[in-house]
């Protein structure tokens, strides 16, 4: 179903003044503006209409019907591609089954698998033409189409292992050595504590869980190695992971690792998390380990300073039970009315402050009180806070309201999307549309950028490149087991498009190997930004890495500005780090890539890495 737009009169204006937060933004992949030749109309959900109930883990065959309303024929090189939401085991790209001339329709089918945890799930898709440019449906070519399902029914098995109740059966350690269990809140060596009813980031209460705090040093960590557990086919690791409610400054990486016997420690899943008012349902299929006795390892790593890094694993267990996202109550329903200003695709200069206003109508049965709010739900936050802001006045059923948020355009040329939702008094988020899951959208096209003050790609060999094997040559040799760096004039990005000149970095070929380049000192000025597209090289099967932007001033300690985990998923990310906090200092920037377990296929690309001024 596409996103519909209607208009009714305004009743009330709400201005939410949001303070600009400098820092890193991981922007969604830019989507080029639609051309007249490539235009699509959503016709129908041929199968699985919105809100269809399905059994956990069931096989799905979703078919959408589209009409070509442009002037160009869609060849079989055109495709639909996964864009956002829950992928449900689908392929990233599905080519059209036949050519589609202007005016004709086509049915496109994607095979998927429903998640195992009960709840409501949605996956968003877009069309892609032969030149790898994305376009959507609707009059502006900007709307996704999606699958929307409700997974119902009880889990097929009960919990088979509870990491929370057994937490002191694990051996807990940090860089300071073995830790007591339970620990003591505030211990600088790191600590773990059981929470019977942890308060999650959105203010709701989670299942009993573990509060884990890393050693109080830069990039400190804490981990718990559990006794061996015999995994059965179909077992899943399940947990809600997030920062503890109110843990200001929390920015951590959760890792689910494992070890079999005396073998190497392997990483099953890595997830970077910061205090953003949202939590995440982690669901990891363990079937690949079936029949083996496995020591599972819960690990939390600080990103730079550990101040505020109160990381919570709520309901951590092995089984097939678990919760998914909860659909909003029937009383909380909203309809999008119009973009009062900045319609989708508006062009704007980089760095420009602007105020986005949406008009929405309360079409539910409940009054939106002043305990309701607006909250950032994903995409590019454009400088806005992720925290929810309460409505200053109530909105009765049938009433409309203008919701506004103060934003700042990113400084890099490209198209950017930001997604916002309403939040009710009990902390449940809801969107617009019949299913209550569609977010409000701000979509802008940044048409001008800052100049480049330093180019990390052209100056690659001015840096000192090292790995665990020692100093590396620059340029390196592709395939060198010690690790290597190579300059790429036109790197092919994960989605098949071509990026700006960049660096191919490959870590030392050992478990958890790394590679890093320490650049000459650079004098940072106020307003400088580090910019780069980061991703795995196109076709780098098995790629699963962590990018780090670090720095050092003189002989001081190495500090981390930003960490981002990336795996081959057909998408790339725009990294944008505000460097103003370093203004006036001579800074050695360090580009670092770490393998997550085995480095096989870890061909990590920094496209267009530079400092913009």
């Amino acid at each position: 179903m596409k996103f519909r737009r209607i208009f009714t009169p305004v009743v009330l204006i709400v201005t939410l003044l949001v303070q600009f937060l400098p820092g890193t933004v991981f922007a969604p992949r830019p989507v080029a503006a639609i051309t007249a030749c490539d235009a699509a109309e959503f016709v129908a959900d041929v199968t699985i209409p919105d809100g269809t109930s399905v059994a956990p883990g069931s096989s799905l065959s979703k078919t959408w019907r589209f009409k070509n309303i442009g002037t160009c024929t869609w060849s079989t090189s055109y495709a639909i591609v996964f864009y956002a939401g829950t992928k449900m085991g689908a392929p990233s790209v599905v080519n059209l089954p036949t050519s589609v001339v202007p005016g004709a329709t086509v049915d496109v089918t994607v095979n998927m698998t429903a998640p195992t945890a009960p709840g409501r799930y949605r996956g968003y898709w877009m069309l892609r033409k032969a030149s790898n440019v994305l376009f959507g449906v609707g009059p502006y070519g900007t709307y996704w189409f999606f699958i929307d399902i409700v997974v119902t029914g009880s889990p097929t098995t009960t919990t088979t292992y509870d990491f929370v109740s057994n937490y002191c059966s694990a051996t807990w350690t940090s860089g300071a050595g073995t830790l007591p269990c339970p620990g003591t809140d505030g211990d600088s060596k790191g600590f773990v504590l059981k929470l019977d009813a942890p308060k999650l980031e959105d203010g709701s209460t989670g299942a009993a869980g573990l509060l884990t705090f890393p050693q109080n040093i830069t990039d400190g960590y804490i981990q718990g190695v559990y006794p061996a557990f015999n995994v059965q086919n179909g077992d899943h690791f399940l947990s809600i992971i997030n920062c503890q409610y109110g843990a200001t400054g929390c920015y951590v990486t959760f890792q689910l690792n494992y070890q079999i016997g005396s073998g190497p420690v392997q990483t099953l899943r890595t997830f970077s998390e910061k205090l953003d008012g949202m939590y995440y349902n982690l669901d990891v299929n363990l079937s690949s380990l079936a029949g083996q006795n496995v020591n599972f390892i819960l690990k939390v790593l600080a990103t730079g300073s550990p101040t505020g890094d109160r990381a919570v694993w709520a309901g951590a267990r092995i089984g097939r039970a678990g919760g998914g996202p909860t659909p909003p109550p029937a009383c909380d329903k909203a309809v999008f009315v119009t973009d009062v200003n900045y319609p989708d695709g508006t062009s704007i200069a980089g760095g420009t402050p602007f105020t986005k206003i949406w008009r929405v109508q309360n079409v539910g049965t409940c009054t939106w009180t002043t305990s309701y709010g607006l909250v950032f739900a994903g995409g590019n936050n454009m400088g806005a806070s992720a925290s929810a802001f309460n409505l200053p006045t109530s909105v009765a059923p049938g009433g409309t309201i203008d919701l506004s948020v103060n934003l700042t355009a990113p400084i890099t040329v490209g198209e950017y999307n930001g997604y916002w939702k309403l939040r009710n008094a009990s902390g449940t988020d809801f969107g617009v549309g019949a299913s209550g899951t569609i977010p409000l959208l701000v979509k802008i096209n940044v048409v001008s950028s800052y100049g480049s003050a330093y180019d990390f790609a052209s100056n690659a060999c001015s840096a000192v490149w090292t790995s665990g094997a020692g100093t590396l040559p620059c340029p390196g040799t592709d395939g060198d087991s010690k690790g290597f760096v190579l300059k790429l004039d036109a790197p092919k990005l994960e989605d098949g498009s071509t990026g700006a000149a960049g660096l191919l970095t490959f870590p030392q070929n050992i478990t958890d190997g790394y590679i890093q380049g320490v650049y000459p000192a650079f004098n940072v000025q106020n307003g400088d930004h580090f910019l780069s597209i980061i991703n795995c090289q196109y076709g780098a099967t098995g790629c699963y890495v962590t990018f780090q932007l670090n720095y050092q001033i003189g002989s001081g300690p190495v500090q981390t500005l930003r960490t981002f985990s990336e795996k081959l998923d057909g998408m790339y990310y725009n990294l944008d780090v505000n460097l103003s906090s370093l203004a006036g200092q001579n800074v050695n920037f360090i580009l670092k890539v770490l393998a997550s377990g085995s480095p096989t296929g870890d061909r990590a690309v920094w496209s267009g890495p530079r400092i913009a001024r």
Side-chain angles (χ1 to χ4, degrees), residues 233-429:
N233 189 49
D235 283 351
H236 282 240
F237 176 88
L238 303 166
S239 181
I240 286 177
I241 54 175
N242 70 153
C243 296
Q244 191 177 31
Y245 182 80
T248 306
C250 177
Y251 192 5
V252 297
T253 297
F254 288 84
Q255 279 189 356
L256 175 63
N257 299 330
Y258 73 94
Q259 185 177 32
I260 298 173
S262 59
V265 173
Q266 306 281 351
T267 297
L268 275 169
R269 191 62 53 83
T270 294
F271 189 83
S272 295
E273 164 69 353
K274 64 190 302 184
L275 190 70
D276 55 9
M278 295 184 287
Y279 58 76
Y280 299 87
N281 280 292
L282 185 60
D283 181 345
V284 182
N285 192 331
L286 306 176
S287 295
S288 63
L289 302 174
Q292 301 184 81
N293 293 315
V294 180
N295 295 98
F296 288 100
I297 305 169
L298 306 188
K299 187 172 185 177
V300 169
L301 304 96
T303 302
S305 169
T307 302
D309 285 353
R310 300 176 70 87
V312 174
W313 306 75
R317 63 204 183 280
I318 292 175
R320 293 180 189 171
T326 303
C331 77
D332 293 319
K333 289 189 176 296
V335 164
F336 171 83
V337 178
T338 190
D339 289 307
V340 178
N341 62 5
Y342 295 97
D344 295 346
T346 297
S347 294
I348 189 169
T352 302
F354 67 102
T355 300
K356 171 66 186 182
I357 304 175
W358 302 275
R359 184 168 296 151
V360 297
Q361 183 181 21
N362 181 350
V363 295
T365 59
C366 296
T367 296
W368 300 346
T369 69
T370 54
S371 295
Y372 282 58
L374 183 69
V375 63
F376 176 68
N380 193 309
N381 67 359
M382 303 184 200
S385 170
S387 301
F389 298 92
N390 290 351
L391 304 184
T393 188
S394 298
V395 185
T400 59
I401 188 170
D402 282 7
L403 302 173
S404 68
V405 59
N406 289 352
L407 306 170
T408 301
I411 65 172
T412 307
V413 170
E415 190 164 281
Y416 296 89
N417 300 328
Y419 309 113
W420 293 77
K421 285 188 175 183
L422 291 154
R423 176 171 291 175
N424 68 16
S426 63
T428 298
D429 295 348

Side-chain angles (χ1 to χ4, degrees), residues 18-42:
V18 182
Q19 186 177 12
F20 173 70
L21 293 180
T24 301
V25 173
F26 297 106
R29 180 175 54 210
V31 183
I34 185 173
T35 62
C37 83
D38 292 312
E41 179 183 289
F42 172 83

